[in-house]
Amino acid sequence: MASKKKYGYVEGNTVRKIQPAERPRRERRSAEHRNRQAGKEKVQYTNLLYTFFLAAAACMVLWSCVRYLQLQAETTSHVKNIASMETQLEELRKENDDNYTRIMTSMDLDYIRDVAINELGMVYAEPDQVILYDNGTQDYVRQSGELPEEESSLADQILGK
């Protein structure tokens, strides 16, 4: 039977197997060389990206370390500042307490009461003359207006008017 070639194949029952023709050595070498060159370029491009990534990561780590050390130094500075201020506050409290004790011991309250009653004619208030005012949690009362008329009449009575 006749054999005919179709699409790169040989058909028929008496066809011998075709041995692939070897490419010339030079072609194979240049193809391998091209493949190697392409691989080298790809590797160089990959190495360049990897190097850039490592450099960026190293810079970020270095910046983080420097920032951490700065914050640590600030914290230490603040702690020392707080400690010195607490020491100063304690000294001021001690000085204040000493001054208060000195003032309180230098006054004779019995003498002051005696002078107020005997020489100045002051008297203790009667229970119906005392006006109590609930000021909540504050330590002092600030008067922002006139007292009601009833209370001012008590004040007049106290003053002797």
Side-chain angles (χ1 to χ4, degrees):
M1 287 216 148
S3 65
K4 76 179 177 184
K5 200 172 188 179
K6 184 175 183 183
Y7 303 114
Y9 296 99
V10 179
E11 300 176 359
N13 60 1
T14 59
V15 176
R16 290 188 269 161
K17 290 186 178 181
I18 300 176
Q19 296 293 325
E22 288 189 24
R23 287 190 237 155
R25 220 180 169 120
R26 190 175 347 143
E27 279 183 29
R28 193 172 17 168
R29 237 188 257 153
S30 65
E32 287 174 3
H33 181 67
R34 274 184 294 201
N35 287 344
R36 247 186 271 132
Q37 270 311 73
K40 281 182 182 180
E41 288 175 6
K42 193 174 187 179
V43 167
Q44 286 176 350
Y45 179 72
T46 304
N47 282 344
L48 183 63
L49 283 177
Y50 185 67
T51 303
F52 179 73
F53 171 76
L54 284 180
C59 288
M60 288 175 52
V61 168
L62 181 64
W63 179 81
S64 297
C65 290
V66 168
R67 186 68 185 135
Y68 174 77
L69 291 174
Q70 286 174 342
L71 290 173
Q72 187 99 11
E74 282 180 28
T75 303
T76 304
S77 171
H78 289 312
V79 166
K80 287 180 180 178
N81 190 19
I82 289 170
S84 70
M85 291 176 122
E86 285 176 345
T87 304
Q88 184 181 8
L89 176 65
E90 194 59 38
E91 289 172 3
L92 289 173
R93 278 188 180 155
K94 184 179 177 189
E95 182 181 336
N96 192 28
D97 291 343
D98 291 343
N99 287 336
Y100 179 78
T101 304
R102 184 178 47 81
I103 290 170
M104 292 309 288
T105 56
S106 69
M107 287 192 297
D108 185 9
L109 294 178
D110 290 330
Y111 173 75
I112 293 173
R113 186 177 56 82
D114 185 47
V115 169
I117 292 173
N118 296 327
E119 291 181 20
L120 301 175
M122 298 181 81
V123 293
Y124 282 104
E126 298 293 326
D128 61 335
Q129 293 175 329
V130 176
I131 300 172
L132 297 178
Y133 177 77
D134 182 24
N135 66 345
T137 60
Q138 295 179 356
D139 292 339
Y140 63 93
V141 177
R142 179 178 293 167
Q143 182 177 344
S144 60
E146 289 295 318
L147 292 174
E149 195 62 38
E150 167 183 291
E151 295 174 6
S152 66
S153 66
L154 285 174
D156 288 342
Q157 288 176 3
I158 293 171
L159 294 174
K161 292 183 180 179

